[in-house]
Amino acid sequence: PKRPPSAFFVFMEEFRKTYKEKNPHVNKVAVIGKAGGEKWKSLSTAEKAPYEARAAKLKSEYGKKMDAYNKQAESGNNA
């Protein structure tokens, strides 16, 4: 299973969409990334909370998938 994104990357997914809508002429990834990083730094803890909660949820789902994957791998090795 693919590792879950951090809270920052959950934020960036949403930020990219809104940034491109407001600035359709900007196509450089570095410019968008830098703007997203600055915005993330300026957010308060309360504003970051929804992204951190979503990242925590994705992490717990990842943990369940990894447990299932490891059980499957163990049963495959013992056969």
Side-chain angles (χ1 to χ4, degrees):
K2 188 175 178 182
R3 293 182 71 195
S6 67
F8 173 71
F9 285 105
V10 172
F11 163 77
M12 279 303 292
E13 185 179 325
E14 187 177 298
F15 178 79
R16 265 188 225 99
K17 291 175 188 173
T18 58
Y19 189 84
K20 284 194 170 235
E21 287 174 5
K22 293 177 183 176
N23 304 295
H25 61 284
V26 177
N27 292 326
K28 294 185 180 183
V29 175
V31 173
I32 297 169
K34 188 171 183 173
E38 290 172 1
K39 177 72 174 171
W40 178 255
K41 287 179 187 176
S42 71
L43 292 178
S44 69
T45 306
E47 291 171 320
K48 289 180 183 180
Y51 302 108
E52 291 169 350
R54 204 171 322 151
K57 181 181 177 194
L58 292 171
K59 188 175 181 178
S60 70
E61 290 173 7
Y62 169 76
K64 291 175 188 174
K65 289 178 185 176
M66 278 304 293
D67 289 342
Y69 175 80
N70 289 333
K71 286 178 185 175
Q72 179 186 11
E74 288 173 7
S75 65
N77 290 338
N78 294 337

